[in-house]
Amino acid sequence: MPWTAEYYPVAMRNLPSPVRLKAIAIANALLARRMPEDHAIRIAIAQAKRWAYRSGILP
């Protein structure tokens, strides 16, 4: 089941909203490619944080 802004993994709970939404999008894309859920979550969080730092969303 794909994640949404209302339903997402506990590991994404403390992310700022824009970063969480990006992580959800990335994780859903990885799941669509048949990646295991635990790997998809970790990779999505890391990539979303990287995106946020580069975008200036996170300091």
Side-chain angles (χ1 to χ4, degrees), residues 11-46:
M12 295 181 187
R13 176 181 42 204
N14 293 324
L15 294 174
S17 183
V19 181
R20 183 183 320 115
L21 292 175
K22 186 69 166 182
I24 290 168
I26 294 168
N28 284 334
L30 293 172
L31 289 176
R33 292 183 167 204
R34 306 267 186 209
M35 180 169 284
E37 192 173 291
D38 57 333
H39 290 148
I41 292 168
R42 283 189 234 132
I43 292 169
I45 291 171

